[in-house]
Amino acid sequence: MDYLPKINANIISLADFFSLDLESSQTISKVLFYLSRYELEKSHIEIHQYLKTHSLVMSSFLIRAPIEYTGFQSLSIEEDLFFTNVPDDAPTIFLVKAIVNAFTSLQMIVDKFELQKRINISTNEISKLTRIGISLANEKDFTKLLRDILTSAREISNSDSGSLYLVEKDEKGNPRNLRFKISALDLNSDEFILPINKKSIAGYVAYTGKQLNIPNVYELSDKEEFHFNSEFDKMSNYYSKSMLVVPMKDHHDEVVGVIQLINRKKNFHTKLSLEQMKTNLVLDYDKYSEDLVMAVAGQAAVAIQNNNLVHEIETLFEGFVTASVSAIESRDPTTSGHSFRVAQYTVGLAEAVNSIETGRFKDIQFSHSQIKEIRYASLLHDFGKVGVREKVLVKAKKLEDYELDLIRWRFHFILKDVEAKLSHKKIEYLKKHGNKGYTEFEKSIQLEYELEKEKLHEMVHVISQSNEPSILEEGNSHFLEEISKLSYETTDGGQISLLQPREFSFLSIRKGSLDFEERREIESHVEHTFQFLSKIPWTRELKMVPSIAHGHHEKLNGSGYPRGLTAVEIPVQAKMMAIADIFDALTDKDRPYKKAVPLERAFDILKMEVRDQHIDGDLLDVFIQNKVYEKILSKRLES
């Protein structure tokens, strides 16, 4: 017993050992069994069972037996737990050294175990931080990003609850206030703001840029500059105890937000009751937890800044698109709003297709990015009109106003010349015959004048009618041809064609206001659009924008333009846009060259397009059945 202080261990009997509770301390216990060979052989099963159920007991065996004893090999105790045999006649000093060496060996095993445990924990935490970094970097939904940040910080620190605040800046970029965004508790609370000062805990951290580690917020002294607001605990039936509050700083070392973690516990997934929160089951935040949370906060700040930057770029691009569309539509005020409405119709149709669970479109599901892609393609589908001459783009009738005026003045001149010729006849009559029979002669001259005048007026009327972009009547077409062959000889012997070949050519257009070359120029806007959009370095999510816009004038039977694609070659997004484009053109407010048609008539025309294999009938059914048009038409009627 004189050597007991050197061994520094408690000596108990085997019977007392079995009654010990060595698990409650949650630490590893080192146990050296010093037994005779007979005690071992008698109790080995019981010892084995105990060791099997007590994972925190690290043991070794010292057997009172001859050195050559190997009987332990047949027992249920693992062979590697046996340290050595000590014969009964061995000197005491030998026994003491064997015990000390056995405990030293156990300590080395425990140290190795603890070291491995710390390595595993560190490796796990590093892995967690890596996963968190990847997750935060890839998240585009800002609300979900904030929730992921808070969840990650809570999980890595085993926090029961927490909140996240963001710094808001004024117009000059200076911090203005701190806005509460989310809480781990399901509080029915709207966002609110806190001043960035030293009075509140979160405000203090945002103001100073320093983290706070508070063991018990209810035991804060009056000496502290900050105070704990217990109203949240009362409101949510919660009890905040330990608290770790850290700033999220960007690469400029500026605070962009604050993470507030509450009530550290042993296991993240353990649910604490209100009473348990007041006990030692709530732990203080240690230095290791601080370091881990600060690492998460750094990643979170970068993710928030990146997300804000992406949002600013998207806002910038959205403004560019809107300005571009407005600029194009300002060239033709009669179609103002067309591109925006086509985008709304097409997006509405895409969302309706998303909801279909049976039939041809059941496997088509447009993601959020693809919906955005459809919207941009629809907004910019007519951008190529920037390359079309304005006189062609806004041409309301077959001839320009000045050209029709020129024809009218020509007929007016001819009528005046007829009048001059007839006046000359009157003078010649008077010279030859005097007043004799002049009254009757004058009446005949007047009748001739009226007939010529009526004939010229009828020609001008037919020309004016034919100048309209509506379908050219067959009778007018023949009359125009006759007029184009006529010429008039003036009093000075000159010849005037009643219609110039170019004028006749335009007036003979069967439908619309454009001739073949002008129509080709208008149709070229699709190719201009594609060339323009192809020069924009679209992101991977938006790479289809040029192709979708390129196909909005293609027809299922291959008769469309600019490439004459067939049904299988046209992207479904472009097929949807084609329906939206035609529908808006039909139902848009009256334009100089056409009247808006009623809703049912528009549907009839679209169904005719289906019969002619121009547009997709199934998509048209979805458009009509889901009343994709209703909300937009209602707004237009209200306005």
Side-chain angles (χ1 to χ4, degrees):
M1 302 299 288
D2 295 335
Y3 293 96
L4 190 60
K6 293 183 179 180
I7 298 173
N8 191 24
N10 296 322
I11 300 176
I12 59 174
S13 67
L14 187 61
D16 291 338
F17 169 75
F18 288 131
S19 63
L20 290 178
D21 180 14
L22 298 177
E23 295 285 324
S24 60
S25 64
Q26 295 294 310
T27 58
I28 296 175
S29 300
K30 298 181 289 291
V31 177
L32 176 65
F33 291 94
Y34 177 54
L35 304 170
S36 69
R37 55 183 290 187
Y38 306 108
E39 289 175 305
L40 177 66
E41 291 169 359
K42 176 184 176 183
S43 306
H44 72 93
I45 295 176
E46 191 177 2
I47 293 172
H48 173 77
Q49 190 62 35
Y50 184 90
L51 295 178
K52 183 179 178 182
T53 56
H54 290 72
S55 58
L56 293 178
V57 173
M58 191 67 67
S59 62
S60 187
F61 287 81
L62 203 61
I63 310 303
R64 265 181 34 236
I67 293 298
E68 65 274 9
Y69 171 71
T70 58
F72 58 80
Q73 294 177 348
S74 63
L75 304 180
S76 58
I77 306 298
E78 286 80 356
E79 190 174 338
D80 58 357
L81 297 183
F82 289 94
F83 185 70
T84 189
N85 298 338
V86 179
D88 287 336
D89 58 354
T92 304
I93 187 63
F94 181 82
L95 174 62
V96 171
K97 286 186 176 181
I99 292 173
V100 170
N101 288 340
F103 271 114
T104 301
S105 176
L106 278 175
Q107 186 61 52
M108 290 175 66
I109 294 172
V110 170
D111 289 346
K112 179 183 176 182
F113 180 80
E114 292 288 355
L115 181 60
Q116 187 61 51
K117 181 182 176 182
R118 286 199 294 272
I119 291 173
N120 290 342
I121 291 173
S122 297
T123 302
N124 184 46
E125 302 302 351
I126 290 171
S127 178
K128 276 185 181 179
L129 287 173
T130 302
R131 288 198 305 272
I132 289 168
I134 294 171
S135 174
L136 298 184
N138 291 333
E139 185 54 61
K140 301 296 187 295
D141 184 329
F142 192 63
T143 301
K144 188 174 184 302
L145 171 65
L146 298 182
R147 193 161 294 282
D148 286 349
I149 290 170
L150 182 58
T151 301
S152 299
R154 287 179 55 228
E155 186 175 356
I156 208 162
S157 61
N158 291 332
S159 297
D160 187 66
S161 185
S163 302
L164 188 144
Y165 302 81
L166 291 182
V167 171
E168 292 186 332
K169 296 183 178 182
D170 59 22
E171 293 78 8
K172 297 181 180 179
N174 299 315
R176 181 173 55 189
N177 52 49
L178 200 61
R179 181 172 291 277
F180 168 83
K181 298 297 291 186
I182 56 169
S183 170
L185 300 174
D186 293 326
L187 298 177
N188 293 321
S189 173
D190 295 328
E191 295 182 4
F192 59 86
I193 58 174
L194 289 173
I196 298 179
N197 57 36
K198 296 184 178 182
K199 292 183 179 180
S200 66
I201 293 175
Y204 179 92
V205 171
Y207 184 82
T208 62
K210 300 175 182 177
Q211 69 259 35
L212 286 177
N213 190 338
I214 307 170
N216 192 329
V217 291
Y218 282 97
E219 295 179 358
L220 287 172
S221 67
D222 294 334
K223 297 178 182 179
E224 305 292 352
E225 297 177 273
F226 49 84
H227 304 283
F228 171 65
N229 185 352
S230 62
E231 290 300 316
F232 293 103
D233 278 4
K234 296 174 184 177
M235 181 176 65
S236 57
N237 194 30
Y238 194 78
Y239 186 85
S240 301
K241 190 178 179 184
S242 62
M243 190 176 288
L244 178 62
V245 191
V246 300
M248 294 184 286
K249 295 183 180 181
D250 63 14
H251 59 288
H252 295 301
D253 205 37
E254 293 181 359
V255 177
V256 298
V258 171
I259 300 175
Q260 181 174 308
L261 301 172
I262 306 170
N263 290 352
R264 180 173 171 247
K265 50 192 178 182
K266 292 179 181 178
N267 190 305
F268 174 67
H269 299 288
T270 300
K271 186 70 175 176
L272 298 179
S273 66
L274 182 62
E275 292 305 316
Q276 287 175 322
M277 293 176 192
K278 301 176 182 179
T279 68
N280 59 4
L281 289 177
V282 173
L283 310 174
D284 296 349
Y285 287 92
D286 56 17
K287 182 66 170 62
Y288 188 61
S289 297
E290 283 188 32
D291 292 342
L292 289 174
V293 174
M294 284 301 294
V296 172
Q299 292 179 329
V302 172
I304 288 172
Q305 288 296 89
N306 287 344
N307 198 285
N308 286 338
L309 182 60
V310 169
H311 178 70
E312 288 174 5
I313 292 172
E314 287 179 345
T315 302
L316 177 66
F317 187 73
E318 186 75 23
F320 162 75
V321 170
T322 302
S324 299
V325 175
S326 299
I328 292 304
E329 293 198 338
S330 68
R331 297 186 70 210
D332 185 6
T334 59
T335 62
S336 179
H338 169 72
S339 295
F340 295 102
R341 290 191 299 273
V342 168
Q344 288 176 294
Y345 289 135
T346 311
V347 167
L349 181 51
E351 290 171 342
V353 168
N354 272 357
S355 65
I356 295 175
E357 298 179 353
T358 59
R360 176 183 161 199
F361 302 117
K362 63 181 175 63
D363 296 326
I364 295 180
Q365 191 69 32
F366 297 109
S367 66
H368 175 75
S369 296
Q370 287 175 312
I371 293 291
K372 185 187 291 187
E373 184 179 60
I374 289 170
R375 179 172 174 271
Y376 281 144
S378 302
L379 282 171
L380 295 167
H381 76 283
D382 277 345
F383 190 84
K385 287 182 177 178
V386 70
V388 178
R389 289 175 300 157
E390 193 159 345
K391 62 175 290 185
V392 176
L393 185 65
V394 300
K395 189 178 180 185
K397 299 186 179 182
K398 298 175 183 179
L399 295 175
E400 299 288 342
D401 288 344
Y402 77 90
E403 292 176 310
L404 188 61
D405 286 342
L406 183 62
I407 292 173
R408 285 173 176 156
W409 277 107
R410 184 184 305 143
F411 276 80
H412 180 71
F413 171 79
I414 291 172
L415 182 59
K416 288 296 182 183
D417 196 76
V418 168
E419 190 176 341
K421 283 182 178 179
L422 294 178
S423 296
H424 182 72
K425 281 185 179 182
K426 290 179 183 179
I427 294 171
E428 289 298 319
Y429 183 91
L430 288 171
K431 284 181 179 179
K432 288 181 179 181
H433 308 288
N435 289 333
K436 185 179 179 181
Y438 179 73
T439 303
E440 293 301 320
F441 180 77
E442 186 180 31
K443 286 180 180 180
S444 66
I445 290 295
Q446 185 62 32
L447 179 60
E448 185 180 350
Y449 173 75
E450 293 296 335
L451 289 173
E452 286 294 327
K453 180 179 177 182
E454 184 179 349
K455 187 165 66 173
L456 291 173
H457 280 181
E458 185 181 359
M459 290 180 183
V460 171
H461 176 70
V462 169
I463 290 171
S464 297
Q465 271 192 332
S466 302
N467 192 44
E468 297 298 322
S470 54
I471 297 175
L472 182 63
E473 294 179 8
E474 194 69 28
N476 285 355
S477 176
H478 291 311
F479 196 13
L480 281 175
E481 190 173 357
E482 291 177 11
I483 296 172
S484 68
K485 295 175 181 178
L486 297 176
S487 62
Y488 176 79
E489 185 177 348
T490 61
T491 52
D492 60 3
Q495 291 287 333
I496 299 177
S497 295
L498 272 61
L499 274 180
Q500 299 295 325
R502 182 178 181 280
E503 296 167 342
F504 172 68
S505 175
F506 277 107
L507 290 171
S508 299
I509 295 171
R510 301 296 301 172
K511 182 181 178 182
S513 60
L514 305 176
D515 69 356
F516 178 74
E517 290 301 322
E518 289 174 332
R519 186 159 296 282
R520 281 186 59 187
E521 185 175 349
I522 283 287
E523 291 177 356
S524 72
H525 83 274
V526 182
E527 197 60 46
H528 291 319
T529 295
F530 179 72
Q531 295 301 327
F532 167 75
L533 295 180
S534 296
K535 288 180 172 61
I536 298 176
W538 298 97
T539 61
R540 182 175 57 186
E541 292 82 2
L542 302 175
K543 64 181 180 181
M544 282 282 290
V545 168
S547 299
I548 296 170
H550 202 194
H552 77 278
H553 276 300
E554 300 289 353
K555 297 177 181 179
L556 305 189
N557 61 3
S559 63
Y561 62 88
R563 293 175 293 167
L565 301 181
T566 57
V568 294
E569 298 171 303
I570 306 171
V572 67
Q573 300 96 319
K575 293 176 183 177
M576 294 189 293
M577 197 197 305
I579 293 172
D581 192 34
I582 297 171
F583 178 80
D584 186 69
L586 291 171
T587 59
D588 191 17
K589 61 184 181 297
D590 292 349
R591 299 179 183 181
Y593 51 87
K594 72 164 209 56
K595 295 285 185 181
V597 303
L599 189 60
E600 291 304 320
R601 176 58 182 157
F603 291 156
D604 289 340
I605 294 173
L606 284 166
K607 288 172 184 176
M608 289 170 60
E609 292 285 302
V610 171
R611 286 195 294 273
D612 292 339
Q613 295 185 339
H614 291 172
I615 62 175
D616 191 300
D618 293 334
L619 285 174
L620 179 61
D621 289 341
V622 175
F623 184 84
I624 296 172
Q625 290 167 10
N626 287 270
K627 298 184 177 180
V628 171
Y629 52 86
E630 197 167 53
K631 187 183 296 184
I632 302 163
L633 282 184
S634 297
K635 286 182 180 178
R636 284 166 59 187
L637 289 172
E638 289 172 6
S639 63

